[in-house]
Amino acid sequence: MKLFGSRNSRSLRCVWALEEAGASYDYQRVWMMKGEGQAPWFKEINPAGKIPVLQDGDLKLTESAAIVYYIAEKFPASGLLPDDLRLRAEVHRWTFFALTELEPHLWAIAQHRFALPEDKRVAALEPTSIWQFGRAARTIEKRLGVSPYIAGDAFTLADIVVFHCLVWATSARLDPPGEACTAYVERLRQRDAYVRATERERVEAERHEATFLVTPVAG
Ligand SMILES: N[C@@H](CCC(=O)N[C@@H](CS)C(=O)NCC(=O)O)C(=O)O
């Protein structure tokens, strides 16, 4: 398996899941800031020019949440996706909540701050996105006030996606939703698999940057 990703992006979700699963994998850093997402070699991997992408044999899978689910199902012993039907339903519920109620507002903030072409940005939309994110984040705060992990008593893939949205919000300088979310983020940051995942992305980024200017990656 090979993951195409970059630091400070949604690829962290996938690297974290791979580390939780104890999978062995190659990692190819794609330097988005240098336009590598549009390089012909990468467009062959993902014509949309986006990361993350997981390659497993002839499968080229995009969408970070789909990749995390794939890893969970390929490595059932990871416990990322429980067997019990009701517990699985909780995992689906909170993952979809994060993807549909949290992430869109974070993405809207990022788009109108810097990601869209300047003439397409509407700064006046930001307060509405912040308000909408805050409303949804309060639901997460309430849940974490009564549950150690988002889907129940055990760590699951839903935690990876929810955590990532909460950390994204902090890096976007949004107010923390509350003490339960803050404590949860601090606790999950201590997980060995999370530490290994962030370190892998850091090391691969440094390695790539040291050689990129000399030898652009050919694929
Ligand atoms: N919904 C996709 C979003 C993928 C995405 O937008 N990735 C960003 C990095 S986090 C990217 O590659 N952006 C480059 C671009 O839009 O050209 C996912 O969750 O994987």
Side-chain angles (χ1 to χ4, degrees):
M1 273 187 302
K2 184 172 188 175
L3 187 82
F4 296 83
S6 196
R7 239 179 142 189
N8 300 323
S9 82
R10 295 172 180 89
S11 64
L12 176 62
R13 298 171 177 174
C14 310
V15 185
W16 188 0
L18 285 162
E19 291 291 343
E20 291 283 348
S24 103
Y25 60 98
D26 294 324
Y27 181 99
Q28 172 123 25
R29 200 279 187 111
V30 185
W31 201 351
M32 305 308 277
M33 302 293 279
K34 294 279 182 192
E36 216 179 358
Q38 299 304 315
W41 74 264
F42 184 64
K43 291 290 249 329
E44 275 180 33
I45 307 285
N46 182 7
K50 294 188 178 211
I51 49 154
V53 182
L54 181 73
Q55 193 167 23
D56 190 10
D58 60 0
L59 173 72
K60 289 183 190 125
L61 188 61
T62 59
E63 288 304 320
S64 56
I67 294 170
V68 169
Y69 267 94
Y70 180 80
I71 294 163
E73 294 192 305
K74 187 170 168 118
F75 299 94
S78 67
L80 288 168
L81 193 55
D83 289 336
D84 179 83
L85 181 63
R86 286 178 183 227
L87 290 178
R88 282 170 95 94
E90 290 295 336
V91 173
H92 302 325
R93 181 229 286 240
W94 292 107
T95 303
F96 295 149
F97 185 89
L99 294 175
T100 61
E101 304 284 338
L102 297 176
E103 185 172 309
H105 307 305
L106 296 169
W107 186 216
I109 292 166
Q111 283 177 307
H112 291 286
R113 278 186 190 170
F114 59 83
L116 285 171
E118 267 184 58
D119 63 334
K120 301 280 185 288
R121 297 179 203 164
V122 182
L125 293 176
E126 179 164 318
T128 304
S129 296
I130 292 176
W131 180 78
Q132 287 181 287
F133 176 83
R135 264 182 58 177
R138 276 196 291 282
T139 301
I140 297 288
E141 173 69 16
K142 240 186 186 169
R143 170 72 177 168
L144 291 174
V146 297
S147 179
Y149 296 98
I150 198 71
D153 290 337
F155 180 87
T156 66
L157 70 85
D159 291 297
I160 292 179
V161 182
V162 168
F163 170 99
H164 187 259
C165 288
L166 293 175
V167 168
W168 183 349
T170 304
S171 66
R173 301 182 305 278
L174 303 193
D175 290 335
E179 283 176 16
C181 282
T182 303
Y184 168 81
V185 165
E186 284 317 307
R187 191 156 42 88
L188 265 55
R189 265 191 217 283
Q190 313 297 321
R191 289 181 74 82
D192 290 346
Y194 174 80
V195 173
R196 285 197 303 273
T198 51
E199 184 60 8
R200 180 84 189 255
E201 289 212 302
R202 186 189 69 74
V203 167
E204 297 287 359
E206 281 181 8
R207 195 203 318 274
H208 188 43
E209 279 162 34
T211 55
F212 183 79
L213 299 176
V214 186
T215 328
V217 177

